[in-house]
Amino acid sequence: MAETTTSETDAMRRAVALAASPGVPLHPNPRVGCVLLAPDGTVVGEGYHHGAGTPHAEVEALAVAGERARGATAVVTLEPCNHTGRTGPCAQALIAAGVRRVVVAQRDPNPLAQGGADTLRAAGVEVETGLLADEAERVNPAWTFAHRHGRPFVTWKFATTLDGRSAAADGTSRWVSSPAARRDTHRLRGLADTMLVGTNTVAVDDPQLTVRGDDDLPVGVQPLRVVMGERDLPAERRVFDDAAPTLHLRTRDPDTALRTLYAEHDRHHVFLEGGPTLAASFLRAGLVDEVVTYVAPMLLGAGRSAVGDLGIATIADALRLELAGTTVVGDGPDANVRLVLRPALRPTERGTN
């Protein structure tokens, strides 16, 4: 098989940049970029997927190239799809256009769409995989995670005081977080395709669970609102209004909820904003992949803990998190510290004793 050329590496970097074009929805489809190179290494076409129902990146690039696609090399961030959905299979489109070689960054983890590389090879097209794969995967992290694990990626968000309280002793919790932190929360909500809380949060707090923007924070498609729990809820709760779709999952098991959301509703990124009991159930099950917390510069001394019982009796068994990022959100008395953390690997998971 031919060596990957410098022009192909440069083209893949361009394809990754195309895939990450501003304004492209993060879900439900992956963001993909494609660059077509003539035999002499010049670019004859490029394209990217603009969202569900639109032409795929390869098809858009082929349309630009026209007859110049014959004998060309297609450099694409994700393995060309091998199935017919709203659009036809890209593997067959590349074959029909007479493309000679296809260079792929990320193999497709979606079992419904994968297999394009094998189809191309069977048709006599030379295929190379793995070029800048890590960079390509970072364009679609939640989508990739969901298809690899059979469940959505879970971000747990909460606000807390310096002493770990999410509400005062009398139950009041508005507002622990600052206006700047709440605005930032809406930005993060907009990155997910699912908002999830428990029935108790809906019964007590009556949240609407929508993304609310402003002139500088445009709102795209509202996430699916999911209420998890077995109890019935009044129909007049705000989560059941017409601002966004809502699903009531009548289960208390986090794993069942997540696998249902993936398999039956094509969900890839859950933004968990439930109370301490629901958060603890996801943490105990090992089903929190990212933690985002806004720490307010205040002390309560008593009140509701930010998380419920984790079944931990000794410091040696503490659930440890690794800090992935720290940002001051807002300024002056409205400043909060946003921490982004991920569950730490145990020593055995790191391959050490």
Side-chain angles (χ1 to χ4, degrees):
M1 183 172 292
E3 293 291 326
T4 299
T5 65
T6 301
S7 61
E8 288 174 350
T9 302
D10 292 341
M12 186 63 80
R13 291 195 179 98
R14 171 61 180 163
V16 170
L18 286 167
S21 294
V24 177
L26 300 179
H27 44 80
N29 289 4
R31 297 183 293 170
V32 182
C34 177
V35 174
L36 290 175
L37 299 176
D40 64 358
T42 59
V43 175
V44 295
E46 61 179 35
Y48 63 94
H49 187 43
H50 296 254
T54 65
H56 287 192
E58 299 94 322
V59 173
E60 186 171 86
L62 289 171
V64 172
E67 285 301 315
R68 294 177 297 171
R70 190 162 301 279
T73 294
V75 179
V76 60
T77 58
L78 182 68
E79 179 182 6
C81 64
N82 200 42
H83 79 304
T84 299
R86 294 189 188 181
T87 59
C90 291
Q92 294 296 340
L94 292 168
I95 293 168
V99 168
R100 177 187 64 84
R101 173 173 162 83
V102 176
V103 179
V104 173
Q106 179 186 0
R107 295 297 296 266
D108 196 331
N110 184 355
L112 296 177
Q114 61 190 206
D118 292 338
T119 295
L120 289 163
R121 290 190 181 102
V125 178
E126 185 179 332
V127 179
E128 184 85 26
T129 62
L131 178 62
L132 302 185
D134 291 343
E135 288 87 338
E137 287 189 17
R138 284 196 286 269
V139 177
N140 301 294
W143 179 87
T144 299
F145 179 97
H147 287 303
R148 285 181 176 164
H149 293 83
R151 68 163 179 88
F153 183 90
V154 176
T155 296
W156 170 42
K157 170 266 167 184
F158 67 100
T160 180
T161 62
L162 283 172
D163 51 348
R165 305 295 177 180
S166 62
D170 66 355
T172 56
S173 61
R174 294 190 177 186
W175 293 100
V176 169
S177 60
S178 69
R182 295 195 294 276
R183 185 179 185 278
D184 193 59
T185 294
H186 282 282
R187 178 185 64 82
L188 295 180
R189 283 181 176 184
L191 300 179
D193 59 14
T194 308
M195 293 286 305
L196 193 150
V197 298
T199 52
N200 190 63
T201 292
V202 172
V204 175
D205 296 337
D206 192 21
Q208 190 178 30
L209 296 181
T210 56
V211 179
R212 294 182 290 281
D214 51 40
D215 291 341
D216 298 322
L217 183 64
V219 177
V221 178
Q222 289 286 352
L224 173 68
R225 301 178 292 191
V226 177
V227 182
M228 177 179 157
E230 297 176 346
R231 78 159 93 170
D232 291 330
L233 292 165
E236 62 269 17
R237 296 283 91 175
R238 293 198 301 161
V239 76
F240 297 118
D241 65 20
D242 60 2
T246 300
L247 174 68
H248 187 174
L249 288 178
R250 293 181 180 272
T251 179
R252 295 179 180 175
D253 180 63
D255 185 68
T256 297
L258 292 179
R259 297 198 179 278
T260 298
L261 287 171
Y262 171 76
E264 299 181 16
H265 301 278
D266 196 25
R267 298 289 132 174
H268 305 141
H269 188 179
V270 165
F271 201 68
L272 181 67
E273 281 202 38
T277 300
L278 184 66
S281 70
F282 273 78
L283 289 165
R284 287 196 305 268
L287 293 173
V288 172
D289 306 297
E290 178 181 66
V291 178
V292 177
T293 178
Y294 297 90
V295 182
M298 66 173 72
L299 297 167
L300 288 173
R304 186 173 65 187
S305 173
V307 64
D309 181 17
L310 295 176
I312 296 171
T314 178
I315 194 69
D317 294 333
L319 175 59
R320 301 188 182 276
L321 303 172
E322 293 182 346
L323 187 63
T326 307
T327 306
V328 176
V329 179
D331 50 33
D334 284 337
N336 283 185
V337 177
R338 184 187 69 214
L339 305 177
V340 179
L341 310 104
R342 297 191 175 92
L345 294 178
R346 299 178 184 275
T348 54
E349 294 174 316
R350 294 192 183 100
T352 60
N353 295 323

